[in-house]
Amino acid sequence: MYLKQIKAYLNTIFNSTTSTEEKLQAICNYLKTEVPYYDWVGFYFKNGDKKELKLAQYAGEETEHVIIPFGKGICGQVAVSNKNFVVQDVSKQDNYISCGWKVKSEIVVPIFINGKNVGQIDIDSHTANPFTKQDEELLEYVCQKVAAIL
């Protein structure tokens, strides 16, 4: 993965004068297009004071998982653990919410503002075992930049 070029392009999105929602959508679109094994890219954010996540911008197939309770599935577990969660093979996860038979792996990285977990970026892949430390580094970078514009 060519991290420098991806980060450089992402910075043009972050520095653009578009709305936060448009920036988030552009990030989803770009990552889904640019990284061949990113088949679904989306943001979930804490839904007000409720203990649930609400889907925001995304790129990929539609999902019925618009609301995810804390603790449920990979996203819900990250909302509770406050840690990155890399699942190289979703079939080996007990607490997994299936987004479709094509999904083989998932990576979720939380977004923090002032130490509070406010949301996350979620990537599904139709490839088993694709994610590396570089993916985590890239998505942590994205989450730090997103936190700065929220």
Side-chain angles (χ1 to χ4, degrees):
M1 189 188 300
Y2 31 96
L3 227 46
K4 265 195 176 131
Q5 293 96 316
I6 291 176
K7 284 181 178 179
Y9 187 82
L10 286 169
N11 284 333
T12 65
I13 294 172
F14 285 112
N15 294 329
S16 72
T17 56
T18 59
S19 71
T20 301
E21 291 75 17
E22 289 170 310
K23 288 176 185 177
L24 294 176
Q25 188 61 59
I27 293 161
C28 293
N29 296 344
Y30 175 70
L31 289 175
K32 183 181 180 304
T33 303
E34 199 58 33
V35 184
Y37 51 91
Y38 285 12
D39 295 298
W40 192 92
V41 179
F43 288 99
Y44 282 93
F45 292 101
K46 190 168 186 287
N47 192 10
D49 290 333
K50 299 176 185 166
K51 292 211 173 289
E52 63 186 25
L53 297 163
K54 186 173 184 182
L55 179 63
Q57 290 71 24
Y58 69 93
E61 293 180 17
E62 279 194 36
T63 177
E64 62 193 44
H65 305 291
V66 177
I67 300 289
I68 298 176
F70 283 14
K72 290 282 288 170
I74 308 307
C75 292
Q77 289 177 74
V78 168
V80 173
S81 74
N82 299 323
K83 291 181 171 58
N84 297 354
F85 200 161
V86 181
V87 180
Q88 300 288 13
D89 181 353
V90 295
S91 71
K92 293 190 168 45
Q93 270 299 315
D94 290 338
N95 188 358
Y96 172 69
I97 301 171
S98 176
C99 291
W101 62 271
K102 293 184 212 165
V103 178
K104 304 281 187 266
S105 54
E106 183 172 6
I107 182 170
V108 179
V109 176
I111 300 167
F112 295 99
I113 295 178
N114 299 326
K116 285 186 68 173
N117 185 341
V118 298
Q120 53 199 223
I121 190 167
D122 177 20
I123 313 283
D124 289 345
S125 180
H126 299 166
T127 307
N129 208 32
F131 301 117
T132 66
K133 276 286 174 214
Q134 276 195 314
D135 292 293
E136 274 193 269
E137 183 185 318
L138 171 64
L139 298 175
E140 285 170 356
Y141 177 80
V142 168
C143 289
Q144 287 167 354
K145 299 291 269 183
V146 166
I149 64 167
L150 291 177

